[in-house]
């Protein structure tokens, strides 16, 4: 996880307010925080609140309270992604003007009949040549044929062919909401993010994001995708698997558990120390290389 010389490090944690902070997200927050701090960097918090139908009332407060209780110290004010709506729309307009995005009026039923892959529907560009007026349409980008290759600092080389694996993906939905891929790229650029440390569940999104960065002439940050935390049965800890919020009355043990899941090998008595001393230990001993190539870590009853 080397950072480029002479560009000051700016990292971020970017939760969506879809539920409380669970152990899997805590692990991502700890990794991105430690990586920013050991690089003398800034660490920003961005609440990705641009998809109200998926959001849970009160989740933002729960997440911020948990981060505060766990002793994270972020730089600047909390950033709310919804405040960048104009910048998102401007990026969509730039793509349309450049002939890189088009309106798509395909219905859900039309899409259901198309080929699907691990990333969902592989949209083959049915509406590329149609001229569709009005706002009752999604906006899709016009992907091109070549492979997109990037090197993840932890997971190594990743190759994806956008046209055959994701197809023309959505940047603005038919309901007017901005798609995650575009929103995250615009926000990372606006905030000058140099390094993204996040869960491996997003690694398949990264090629689409790099494609957008190139088309919008943004700099591509460094990427490090950390393993996902799974239940012993193999399913990932997430809101969908009803992962509970991290406890606010057991900060030391949970923080040490996160460090252990991050393969840092904290000493068995570390949890008896204060929150501040646990962070000091974590900063002095942070070795992200221990996560190299690791894709999943099982949360056992003991960790
Ligand atoms: N908001 C996304 C999530 O909560 C994370 C986005 C990112 O880190 O790029 O899954």
């Amino acid at each position: 996880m080397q950072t480029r010389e002479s560009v000051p490090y700016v990292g971020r944690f970017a939760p969506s307010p879809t539920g409380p902070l669970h152990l899997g997200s805590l692990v991502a927050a700890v990794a991105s925080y430690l990586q920013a701090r050991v690089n003398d960097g800034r660490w920003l918090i961005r609440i990705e609140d641009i998809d109200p139908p998926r959001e849970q009332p009160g989740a933002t407060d729960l997440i911020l309270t948990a981060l505060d209780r766990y002793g994270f110290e972020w730089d600047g004010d909390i950033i709310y992604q919804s405040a960048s709506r104009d910048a998102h729309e401007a990026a969509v307009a730039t793509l349309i003007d450049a002939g890189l995005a088009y309106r798509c009026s395909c219905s859900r039923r039309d899409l259901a009949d198309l080929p699907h892959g691990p990333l969902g529907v592989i949209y083959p560009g049915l509406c590329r040549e149609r001229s569709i007026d009005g706002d009752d349409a999604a906006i899709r980008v016009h992907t091109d044929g070549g492979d997109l290759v990037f090197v993840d600092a932890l997971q190594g080389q990743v190759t994806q062919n956008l046209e055959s694996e994701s197809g023309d993906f959505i940047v603005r939905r038919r309901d007017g909401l901005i798609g995650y891929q575009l929103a995250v790229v615009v926000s990372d650029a606006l905030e000058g993010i140099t390094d993204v440390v996040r869960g491996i569940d997003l690694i398949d999104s990264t090629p689409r994001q790099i494609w957008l960065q190139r088309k919008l002439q943004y700099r591509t940050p460094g990427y490090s995708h950390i393993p996902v935390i799974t239940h012993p049965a193999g399913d990932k800890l997430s809101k969908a698997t009803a992962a509970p919020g991290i406890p606010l009355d057991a900060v030391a043990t949970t923080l040490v558990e996160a460090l252990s899941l991050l393969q840092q090998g904290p000493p068995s008595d570390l949890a008896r120390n204060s929150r501040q001393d646990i962070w000091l230990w974590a900063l002095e001993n942070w070795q992200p290389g221990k996560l190299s190539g690791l894709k999943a870590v099982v949360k056992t009853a003991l960790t």
Side-chain angles (χ1 to χ4, degrees), residues 53-69:
R54 284 187 57 226
E55 287 161 22
Q56 183 185 300
T60 295
D61 285 348
L62 288 175
I63 291 170
L64 295 177
T65 302
L67 289 171
D68 183 52
R69 290 282 187 88

Side-chain angles (χ1 to χ4, degrees), residues 17-260:
T18 51
L21 198 70
H22 57 74
L23 190 61
S25 346
L26 175 71
V27 163
V30 169
S32 68
Y33 184 65
L34 291 173
Q35 188 63 7
R37 290 295 179 242
V38 299
N39 283 289
D40 293 326
R42 287 164 54 76
W43 187 72
L44 313 182
I45 293 182
R46 175 171 76 233
I47 301 291
E48 299 209 323
D49 58 343
I50 53 155
D51 194 353
R54 284 187 57 226
E55 287 161 22
Q56 183 185 300
T60 295
D61 285 348
L62 288 175
I63 291 170
L64 295 177
T65 302
L67 289 171
D68 183 52
R69 290 282 187 88
Y70 275 71
F72 289 92
E73 292 175 359
W74 51 89
D75 293 295
D77 293 335
I78 303 288
I79 298 158
Y80 290 89
Q81 195 174 36
S82 55
S84 302
R85 175 85 204 186
D86 290 352
H88 298 151
E89 289 294 346
V92 172
T94 302
L95 292 169
I96 293 176
D97 291 349
L100 291 165
Y102 60 90
R103 290 191 164 71
C104 167
S105 60
C106 288
S107 66
R108 254 185 219 185
R109 193 181 307 161
D110 297 331
L111 298 177
D113 293 337
L114 293 173
H116 282 63
L119 307 179
V121 63
I122 303 169
Y123 189 76
L126 300 179
C127 289
R128 274 183 193 172
E129 308 304 333
R130 295 185 189 150
S131 33
I132 296 159
D133 290 329
D135 283 336
D136 187 23
I139 312 266
R140 291 182 182 274
V141 293
H142 190 321
T143 53
D144 29 41
D147 282 350
L148 201 144
V149 182
F150 77 98
V151 178
D152 184 89
L154 293 176
Q155 306 297 339
Q157 184 167 308
V158 176
T159 303
Q160 196 179 83
N161 186 291
L162 292 195
E163 196 163 27
S164 64
E165 294 183 56
S166 88
D168 288 359
F169 60 93
I170 287 185
V171 286
R172 189 170 73 201
R173 291 172 7 193
R174 199 172 188 149
D175 60 10
L177 294 176
I178 297 291
Y180 158 69
Q181 309 294 352
L182 182 84
V184 76
V185 157
V186 172
S187 292
D188 284 340
L190 282 176
E191 292 150 27
I193 302 297
T194 61
D195 292 80
V196 172
V197 180
R198 62 184 178 190
I200 201 169
D201 49 322
L202 292 168
I203 201 166
D204 287 341
S205 288
T206 308
R208 278 170 283 176
Q209 294 172 15
I210 293 175
W211 188 91
L212 286 170
Q213 286 153 2
R214 291 181 184 166
K215 301 300 179 192
L216 292 165
Q217 296 180 5
Y218 298 157
R219 207 180 51 200
T220 291
Y223 286 99
S224 304
H225 287 89
I226 65 162
V228 74
I229 310 300
T230 71
H231 294 289
D235 45 337
K236 103 168 194 180
L237 253 65
S238 69
K239 200 181 155 225
T241 58
I246 48 172
L248 298 185
D249 57 358
V251 169
T253 46
T254 312
L255 209 43
V256 172
E257 180 178 12
L259 293 169
S260 162

